[in-house]
Amino acid sequence: MERIKTGISGLDEMLNGGIPLKRHVAIFGGPGTGKTSFSFEYLYKGAKEGQNGVYITLEESPESIIENMEAQFTEFKDIRELVNSNKITVSEPEKFSIDSVIEILENSIVKNNAKRAVIDSSTMLRAMFDNENEYRRTIVEFFNLLKTLECNVFIIVEAESGDRGVKFEIEHYIADGIINLYNLDRGGNRVRALEIFKMRGTNHSRDLVPFRVEPNGIKVFVGEKVF
Ligand SMILES: Nc1ncnc2c1ncn2[C@@H]1O[C@H](COP(=O)(O)OP(=O)(O)OP(=O)(O)O)[C@@H](O)[C@H]1O
Ligand SMILES: [Mg+2]
């Protein structure tokens, strides 16, 4: 099976080599759990391997994302260079609409040969709809459209509850994969942890494992327990 390596240390091992091609993954987590960093590193590592990527932001401005990632990953010295050469594009839709998001995605794939995409976040997509049922119908159609694209998409989903209390959303059912990011309370300290909750088409680790966001990238401590 063809796979795409996330490039995140330890994660590809947990995924038995990577994410199956054209599978779309929900990156699920509460505020500050590292969703943006995690997704940005996936694009960064792709860009370094010759796979262009697009980060579609509906919340923070593109410039703020780039600045934060430069501050977060100080040892990724060439972020700006990759952005300037369009190997990583960070875009916000002109109009606050799902069609605008689709347009960016399709343009990036056609014009820029993007193989990796991040949508930050589906929670903001949801905010475009007055009616929950309308959102559900549209997001299902949207995932059907994604299946036709030659691209691996990460879609960030903001968790409604803290710690490990996962409230399942429509995205959990329709995404091919789910990676949950946590900021767990451990006796007054916050510990970062993640788990691969599902990944269609491949076996994977089901362990809850600690991770750290370091200046030279995220480290997932495979085989370690969260204390
Ligand atoms: N320069 C930095 N060095 C070390 N850690 C940082 C730095 N900047 C941010 N962080 C940590 O990373 C966290 C934010 O990571 P990130 O933006 O990836 O999370 P997020 O899940 O996308 O957050 P949000 O829900 O706000 O979008 C911060 O809350 C902080 O703990
Ligand atoms: Mg974020």
Side-chain angles (χ1 to χ4, degrees):
M1 181 197 288
E2 268 197 272
R3 292 170 189 262
I4 190 161
K5 278 201 190 316
T6 65
I8 294 171
S9 171
L11 188 71
D12 293 311
E13 190 185 323
M14 289 179 77
L15 286 162
N16 269 356
I19 297 166
L21 268 193
K22 289 173 64 173
R23 299 288 177 149
H24 309 299
V25 181
I27 307 297
F28 182 84
T33 47
K35 304 179 297 297
T36 297
S37 313
F38 188 89
S39 307
F40 191 86
E41 184 173 348
Y42 157 74
L43 294 188
Y44 178 82
K45 291 292 168 63
K48 301 288 281 181
E49 296 288 320
Q51 291 196 327
N52 292 350
V54 57
Y55 194 107
I56 304 173
T57 171
L58 302 164
E59 261 165 76
E60 276 180 86
S61 73
E63 190 48 38
S64 143
I65 297 264
I66 297 164
E67 279 173 10
N68 290 345
M69 292 302 108
E70 285 182 312
Q72 180 84 275
F73 297 119
T74 45
E75 287 180 35
F76 294 169
K77 304 275 185 216
D78 49 356
I79 291 178
R80 191 64 63 169
E81 213 174 294
L82 294 170
V83 169
N84 290 340
S85 57
N86 290 333
K87 290 182 176 146
I88 302 175
T89 318
V90 186
S91 313
E92 64 188 340
E94 264 172 49
K95 283 185 300 220
F96 195 60
S97 76
I98 202 153
D99 287 340
S100 243
V101 172
I102 293 170
E103 195 181 312
I104 297 178
L105 197 55
E106 288 181 335
N107 272 339
S108 306
I109 293 168
V110 174
K111 295 193 184 140
N112 208 21
N113 195 25
K115 295 288 180 209
R116 303 183 182 211
V118 174
I119 299 169
D120 185 2
S121 64
S122 79
T123 316
M124 285 308 281
L125 292 179
R126 186 189 290 260
M128 293 169 179
F129 295 85
D130 295 328
N131 175 310
E132 176 69 18
N133 286 332
E134 202 188 322
Y135 169 70
R136 291 170 81 98
R137 271 197 299 277
T138 309
I139 198 83
V140 169
E141 278 172 27
F142 181 63
F143 269 82
N144 285 337
L145 169 86
L146 293 185
K147 283 192 191 119
T148 66
L149 303 177
E150 297 293 326
C151 188
N152 276 67
V153 180
F154 275 13
I155 182 154
I156 292 176
V157 186
E158 294 173 357
E160 274 191 27
S161 51
D163 274 23
R164 287 188 80 190
V166 178
K167 177 173 174 278
F168 294 117
E169 314 271 0
I170 175 87
E171 294 86 352
H172 285 102
Y173 296 97
I174 56 183
D176 298 305
I178 304 170
I179 298 177
N180 288 336
L181 306 184
Y182 302 107
N183 217 346
L184 301 173
D185 184 359
R186 287 292 184 268
N189 290 318
R190 290 276 166 190
V191 176
R192 293 190 194 282
L194 64 78
E195 65 186 333
I196 301 166
F197 202 76
K198 87 168 184 186
M199 194 64 62
R200 291 178 186 150
T202 180
N203 197 5
H204 58 85
S205 158
R206 290 173 190 284
D207 296 342
L208 178 73
V209 293
F211 76 94
R212 276 214 295 268
V213 186
E214 298 196 334
N216 63 349
I218 289 171
K219 304 280 173 302
V220 181
F221 298 98
V222 187
E224 287 188 24
K225 293 248 180 289
V226 179
F227 293 105

